[in-house]
């Protein structure tokens, strides 16, 4: 999703290399770190910090000076001051694309190290005064460097072992014209070679074979001349000058006067000869004519390579300023004696062969490990690397040595950092400041900073440095990173500088002392800068888009927020998704945070950039959120007004995310996580996609977690925010993260130490695969609107009685699947629902075909879990359609939930139904949710539901099945409960092969069938307790003595932790209350307690059952925040007014207003109304009975209006935006009218046409009668009635959906509603001959 695009690791001065089995590594020093790159693509593999070897150097500002490698032992050596650090490098076995490094050893000297070389366990070290040689040994299995000898040699700048390790060549910066030769074994200087110019570099020529210790030395002087030194026969240990290559010999005759602006580089003869050997190894003539012609062409090209190999030429290359390349050769160096050395020009490639900004000072050739046979044979595994700038070229010997430009192809360049005061890049990065749109960034370092802007290269964006500044103070950047504004605290001036011009324009403006500064988009022809002063006042500064001496930056205003006390935080609202250069006055610009954690959002009184004097500089608050958080350490606000806070916590730090929409139904808290003190949060930053979906980056020490809002679902209990990705830099650098910032197109820039890592979406050929989806695409799949056939959309439509809509979607979906399968397409095209092109009808055959296809083939855009739910819902829709005439709407909802529950649990158990490539399934649910049980409770088709439940259990329902389906919660008939309990008891006894009477005793004792249990014990001859139980159950338990005996046995069983059997003996002893307590406390089975109480007492108003509701069920429901269970309990308590009110009223408020004897000690987190079915249940109950009508009248109209808005937001969070629109458009806010005088009018207005109405519309679903379920004067109101009195003004709606107006009842109607309550109820009480109550009397 996010991969490393570019690494801005500094400017290389000197590059070393080392080869592994799969990698060729390039290394260079950058401040106190060592950068390790892959030579193939110049991609970053690892950054090594010197303080890994010497922790005490962490806080110092030292710089690495010497970087060398040991090719044999695969060691990397670096020096800082008088210390040397050694790392061993190897390839990772787990990840083929990565390497593994670890500190090998260390060495501390008394003087600063100025030069070093390491080969095969030998180390030569030069300091300001000495040259020393060390050998590597093991002491107690610890690598240790032992000094062999030391010689006095001043100020060495380069040391180099000969290939045979017999000699050491060195250069001294004090005597820059001399080359000294020492023997490796002894501190003996054997020769001094003087040069006419200062020396730049030494290079030992690789010998022809390892058996011959040839000494051939190339020296490069400052005039770009290479000299060749070689011994003669009579003095084999003494080097003599045999030839020289001056820059003029590389120039064609027309260019002989060109100054020597570039160096001459020898081509590594060993690597070249190995490549030639591979190319000439397989030269069989192909049989195919086309391949034969290619073979003939390559055969001609090979002649040049074969000549180079046979003649044993040494080749030298020079890159001229115009990008042309000249290659010269020297023959006969290997002859003994090396006489008649012949120089010649091999070829000259035209200008612009290499497009580099300047001739390089270093050239390296790498023999990359072959990725496949083709690259090995073609020779394209060779790389030429030049520096500076660091550029990698694919080197093809066949083409190159035939003077073809295709012989060198640039594959990577590391020239993003223009060399403008590049020493500043060795300072630690403190933070980033980006432009509002994220197209530029200011990098703030210890004593200055740089401005960077975005460029495009081959489809990938990269940062290019455009300027730098010195100084400390708040800074803002704009104009795509080309212009910076820096506050100078020493002069109280704002310095505005444009870096994009050759001569930067600098403007200065006097401003008050600023603590922070940022820029925001403006609708005018200028940039708006906002600064926060030390007194928390807000300064607005206008910067013209093209400032001149006439149009200069101006101070627009200096005002304060209208708050009683200055807030400790005034932060910008992230403007990433604002329209570019077009800002509305309603777009929140600032967020303030008070000391007690109140978030306030502010907009300017007039449009940003305008200047009407009446609103100049004024700020208006658009909303606030009370977080109750104090001592806030960090805070950020997104474009969509999502705010993240970091506050101290006893266990570490607390991260919370808040929404700006605070109401009585939502505190605004959406996410909470406590992190340990060992992993503090270092950075926070927001970005958003085009759809306004916010993404949060939370930076820790070595990783950045990416969080996005999660779509709410009925299928899984997920947090509102989840981790969508992670960027881990621990394998790249040991430096901790200093700061991270989002840039344009969802790319993330991370600062670690003094280096920057840019992560984003790389352009790859297989961009459409799931593994290469962009961050914004991944976030869109977890947020936003759903497709019509998504299982969540289908489920909600089924719950809201949109069966015909669902059937149409399934038909279109099946047609799309068949079309994709017949055309062998990977994408799925589903026709719009209202397209009349469909010819198929919804049928069992269509469902079977669709399910069969889904079982074997994944659906694009759906996870394996979502596809499993889709199969379930398609099958459930068929069953619902077949039984819709026998069931009411609530029965259909229960059936949907029950079928989904069983089919999903079956899919979890059955592995054969897993779609190919799908992830393993999770655990199934233990029971239906209380929401689903409440649907069955309010259904009028309970006998049909019971039969369907029995069928779902295979006709053998045991207690676990009844508990999972909530039978004893929703079943109303007492006789049916008893009959069904007997069935459960019989099935429990028959389950298994042992026929154990103890498994069914509890259920039979609840039914009072003691004799039946006694008969079952007669058949249990195998049971060790048979004789005892036969004797005990033979007594008459109506007698007090045997009841007491049963109770004693119950307590004995409790001590043995046989809790279910103990509850049975409590029933046998006549103590129903104790049996219920055992079920609740020991068995943790509330449903079993409900079943026993209802069956034993034969009614729902029994004292034990009512006490269970008051002392256990209601407090438990309030503790869990379960409004469905609370509503059911109040309904069973005959407090149906509370059963309605609990759906909308905050639990704490409702608990405080209860006048009945219910003790509620703990109320769970009542943070969200996150279930749209609450609105569906409320719409059913609000006018069902007199009690529910009374409870509805006690709910303020504003509360109902805000409740519907909250449910609409929940629908949007679920991806069901169409249902949210339907809900807000069709919901009826009419209350049951208590005035009989208007009944006739409403009845006449009632539509009678049979056309299909929206299921949200209460007028379309109004009952024809109302149940009279209360004694008119007996129950007082639990809350003052909500209708306003005469003269009261309508309430003002301040939510985000302010365009939706609340239907308000006229004042006269409100008055009549108040007066009509008593008269209507008296009439209902007196006129007992009326068979049913007309619902229209309420309107």
């Amino acid at each position: 999703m996010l991969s490393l695009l570019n690494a801005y690791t500094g400017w290389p001065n000197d590059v070393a290399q080392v080869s592994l089995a799969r990698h060729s590594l390039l290394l260079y020093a950058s401040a106190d770190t060592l950068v390790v790159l892959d030579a193939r693509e110049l991609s970053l593999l690892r950054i090594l910090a010197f303080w890994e070897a010497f922790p005490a150097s962490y806080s110092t500002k030292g710089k690495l000076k010497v970087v060398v490698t040991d090719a044999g032992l695969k060691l990397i050596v670096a020096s800082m001051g008088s210390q040397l650090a050694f790392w061993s490098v190897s390839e990772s076995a787990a990840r083929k694309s990565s390497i593994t490094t670890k500190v090998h050893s260390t060495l501390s000297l008394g003087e600063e190290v100025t030069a070093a070389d390491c080969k095969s366990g030998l180390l030569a070290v030069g300091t300001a005064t000495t040259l020393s040689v060390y050998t590597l040994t093991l002491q107690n299995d610890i690598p240790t460097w032992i000094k062999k000898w030391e010689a006095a040699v001043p100020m060495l700048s380069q040391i180099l072992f000969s290939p045979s390790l017999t000699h050491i060549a060195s250069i001294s910066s004090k005597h820059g014209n001399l080359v000294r030769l020492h023997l490796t074994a002894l501190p003996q200087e054997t020769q001094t070679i003087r040069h006419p110019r200062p020396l730049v570099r030494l290079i030992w020529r690789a010998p022809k074979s390892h058996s011959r210790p040839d000494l051939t030395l190339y020296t490069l002087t400052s005039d770009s001349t290479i000299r060749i030194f070689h011994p003669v026969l009579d003095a084999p240990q003494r080097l003599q000058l045999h030839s020289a290559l001056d820059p003029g010999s590389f120039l064609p005759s027309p260019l002989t006067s060109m100054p020597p602006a570039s160096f001459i580089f020898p081509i590594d003869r060993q690597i070249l000869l190995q490549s030639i050997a591979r190319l000439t190894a397989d030269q069989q003539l192909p049989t195919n004519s086309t391949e034969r012609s290619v073979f003939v062409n390559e055969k001609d090209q090979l002649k040049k390579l074969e000549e180079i190999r046979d003649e044993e030429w040494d080749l030298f290359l020079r890159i001229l300023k115009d990008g042309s390349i000249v290659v010269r050769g020297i023959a006969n160096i290997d002859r003994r004696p090396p006489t008649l050395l012949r120089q010649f020009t091999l070829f000259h490639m035209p200008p612009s062969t290499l497009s580099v900004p300047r001739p390089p000072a270093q050239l390296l050739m790498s023999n990359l490990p072959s990725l496949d046979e083709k690259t090995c044979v073609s020779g394209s595994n060779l790389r030429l690397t030049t520096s500076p700038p660091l550029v990698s070229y694919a080197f093809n010997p066949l083409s190159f040595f035939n003077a073809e430009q295709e012989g060198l192809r640039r594959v990577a360049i590391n020239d993003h950092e223009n060399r403008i005061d590049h020493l500043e890049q060795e300072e630690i990065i403190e933070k980033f400041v980006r432009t509002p749109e994220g197209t530029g960034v200011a990098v703030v370092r210890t004593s200055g900073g740089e401005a960077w802007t975005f460029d495009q290269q081959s489809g990938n964006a990269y940062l290019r440095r455009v300027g730098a500044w010195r100084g400390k103070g708040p800074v803002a950047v704009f104009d795509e990173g080309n212009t910076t504004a820096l506050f100078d605290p020493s002069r109280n001036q704002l310095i505005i500088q444009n870096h994009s011009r050759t001569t930067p324009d600098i403007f200065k403006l006097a401003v008050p002392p600023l603590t922070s500064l940022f820029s925001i988009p403006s609708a005018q022809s200028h940039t708006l800068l906002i600064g926060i002063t030390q007194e928390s006042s807000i300064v607005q500064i206008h910067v013209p888009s093209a400032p001149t001496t006439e149009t200069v930056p101006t101070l627009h205003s200096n005002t304060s927020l209208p708050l009683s006390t200055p807030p400790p935080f005034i932060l910008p609202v992230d403007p990433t998704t604002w329209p570019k250069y077009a800002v509305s006055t309603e777009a929140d610009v600032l967020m303030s945070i008070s000391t007690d954690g109140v978030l306030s959002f502010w907009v300017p009184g007039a449009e940003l950039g305008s200047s009407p004097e009446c609103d100049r500089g004024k700020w208006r608050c658009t909303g606030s959120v009370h977080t109750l958080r104090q001592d806030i350490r960090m805070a950020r606000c997104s474009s969509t007004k999502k705010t993240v806070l970091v506050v101290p916590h006893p266990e570490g730090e607390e991260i919370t995310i808040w929404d700006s929409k605070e109401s009585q139904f939502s505190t605004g808290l959406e996410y909470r996580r406590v992190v340990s003190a060992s992993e503090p949060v270092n950075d926070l930053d927001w970005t958003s996609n085009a759809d306004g979906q916010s993404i949060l980056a939370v930076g820790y020490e070595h990783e950045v977690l990416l969080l996005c809002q999660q779509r709410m679902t009925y299928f899984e209990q997920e947090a509102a925010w989840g981790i969508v990705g992670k960027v881990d830099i621990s394998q790249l650098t040991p430096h901790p993260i200093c700061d991270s910032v989002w840039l344009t197109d969802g790319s993330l820039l991370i600062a670690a130490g003094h280096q920057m890592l840019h992560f984003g979406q790389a352009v790859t050929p297989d961009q459409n695969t799931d593994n290469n989806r962009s961050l914004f695409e991944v976030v869109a799949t977890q947020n936003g609107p759903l497709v019509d056939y998504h299982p969540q959309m289908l489920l909600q439509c089924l719950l809201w009685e949109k069966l015909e809509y669902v059937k149409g979607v399934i038909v279109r979906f099946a047609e799309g699947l068949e079309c994709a399968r017949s055309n062998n397409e990977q994408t799925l095209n589903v026709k719009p629902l209202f397209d009349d092109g469909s010819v198929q009808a919804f049928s069992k055959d269509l469902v079977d075909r669709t399910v069969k296809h889904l079982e074997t083939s994944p659906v694009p855009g759906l996870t394996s879990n979502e596809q499993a739910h889709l199969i379930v819902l398609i099958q459930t829709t068929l069953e619902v359609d077949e039984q819709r005439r026998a069931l009411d709407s609530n029965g259909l909802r229960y059936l949907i939930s029950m079928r989904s529950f069983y089919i999903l649990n079956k899919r979890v158990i059955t592995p054969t139904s897993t779609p190919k490539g799908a992830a393993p399934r999770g655990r199934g649910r233990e029971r239906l949710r209380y929401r689903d049980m409440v649907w069955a409770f309010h259904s009028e088709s309970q006998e049909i539901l019971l039969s369907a439940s029995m069928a779902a259990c295979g006709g053998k329902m045991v207690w676990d099945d009844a508990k999972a389906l909530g039978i004893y919660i929703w079943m109303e008939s007492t006789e049916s409960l008893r009959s069904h309990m007997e069935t459960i008891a019989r099935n429990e006894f028959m389950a298994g092969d042992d026929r154990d009477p103890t498994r069914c005793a509890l259920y039979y004792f609840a039914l009072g069938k003691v004799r039946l249990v006694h008969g079952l014990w007669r058949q249990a001859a195998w049971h060790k307790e048979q004789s005892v139980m036969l004797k005990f159950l033979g007594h008459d338990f109506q007698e007090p003595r045997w009841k007491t005996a049963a109770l004693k046995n119950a307590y004995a069983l409790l001590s043995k932790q046989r809790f279910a059997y103990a509850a049975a003996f409590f029933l046998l002893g006549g103590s129903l209350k104790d049996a219920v307590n055992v079920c609740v406390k020991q068995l943790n089975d509330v449903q079993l307690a409900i079943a026993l109480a209802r069956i034993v007492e034969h009614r729902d108003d029994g004292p034990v059952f009512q006490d269970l509701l008051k002392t256990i069920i209601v407090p438990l429901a309030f503790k869990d925040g379960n409004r469905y269970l609370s509503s059911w309990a109040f309904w069973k308590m005959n407090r149906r007014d509370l059963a309605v009110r609990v759906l909308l009223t905050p639990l704490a408020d409702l608990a405080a207003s209860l006048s009945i004897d219910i003790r509620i000690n703990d109320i769970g987190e009542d943070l969200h109304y996150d279930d749209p079915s609450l609105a569906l249940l409320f719409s059913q109950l609000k006018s069902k009975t007199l009690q529910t009508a009374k409870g509805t009248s006690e709910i303020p109209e504003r509360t109902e209006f805000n409740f519907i808005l909250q449910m609409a937001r929940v629908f949007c969070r679920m991806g069901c935006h169409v249902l949210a629109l339907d809900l807000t458009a069709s919901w009826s806010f009419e209350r049951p009218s208590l005035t009989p005088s208007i009944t006739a009018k409403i009845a006449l207005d009632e539509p009678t046409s049979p056309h299909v109405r929206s299921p949200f519309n209460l007028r379309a679903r109004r009952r024809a009668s109302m149940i009279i379920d209360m004694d008119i004067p007996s129950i007082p109101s639990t809350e003052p009635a909500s209708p306003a009195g005469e003269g009261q003004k309508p309430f003002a709606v301040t939510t985000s959906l302010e365009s939706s107006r609340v239907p308000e009842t006229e004042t006269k109607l409100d008055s009549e509603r108040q007066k009509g309550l008593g008269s209507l109820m008296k009439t209902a009480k007196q006129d007992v001959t009326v068979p049913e109550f007309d619902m229209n009397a309420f309107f």
Side-chain angles (χ1 to χ4, degrees), residues 1155-1214:
S1155 59
I1156 54 181
D1157 185 19
I1158 297 179
R1159 184 179 300 173
I1160 299 176
N1161 299 322
D1162 188 10
I1163 298 178
E1165 291 189 355
D1166 189 20
L1167 302 180
H1168 298 284
Y1169 286 68
D1170 54 1
D1171 191 346
S1173 293
L1174 286 172
L1176 186 57
L1177 182 61
F1178 175 68
S1179 69
Q1180 288 191 6
L1181 301 186
K1182 63 188 295 187
S1183 304
K1184 188 173 184 178
T1185 71
L1186 282 178
Q1187 282 196 44
T1188 59
K1190 173 179 175 290
T1192 303
S1193 68
E1194 295 174 350
I1195 299 174
E1197 288 183 339
R1198 177 197 289 261
T1199 300
E1200 183 179 353
F1201 177 75
N1202 291 337
F1203 171 74
I1204 296 304
L1205 291 184
Q1206 176 66 18
M1207 293 301 102
R1209 295 189 192 102
V1210 173
F1211 266 136
C1212 293
R1213 286 285 314 280
M1214 298 174 67

Side-chain angles (χ1 to χ4, degrees), residues 1278-1334:
T1278 59
E1279 183 176 293
S1282 62
E1286 295 185 1
Q1288 182 175 348
K1289 295 182 180 180
F1291 65 89
V1293 182
T1294 59
T1295 60
S1296 61
L1297 298 178
E1298 291 185 69
S1299 57
S1300 302
R1301 298 289 299 169
V1302 180
E1304 297 183 14
T1305 311
E1306 296 180 359
T1307 306
K1308 180 179 179 181
L1309 181 58
D1310 288 339
S1311 178
E1312 292 175 349
R1313 183 181 299 172
Q1314 295 282 349
K1315 298 176 182 178
L1317 176 62
S1319 61
L1320 177 62
M1321 291 187 174
K1322 288 179 182 179
T1323 303
K1325 183 178 180 181
Q1326 294 171 1
D1327 191 6
V1328 295
T1329 61
V1330 179
E1332 63 180 9
F1333 189 81
D1334 187 3

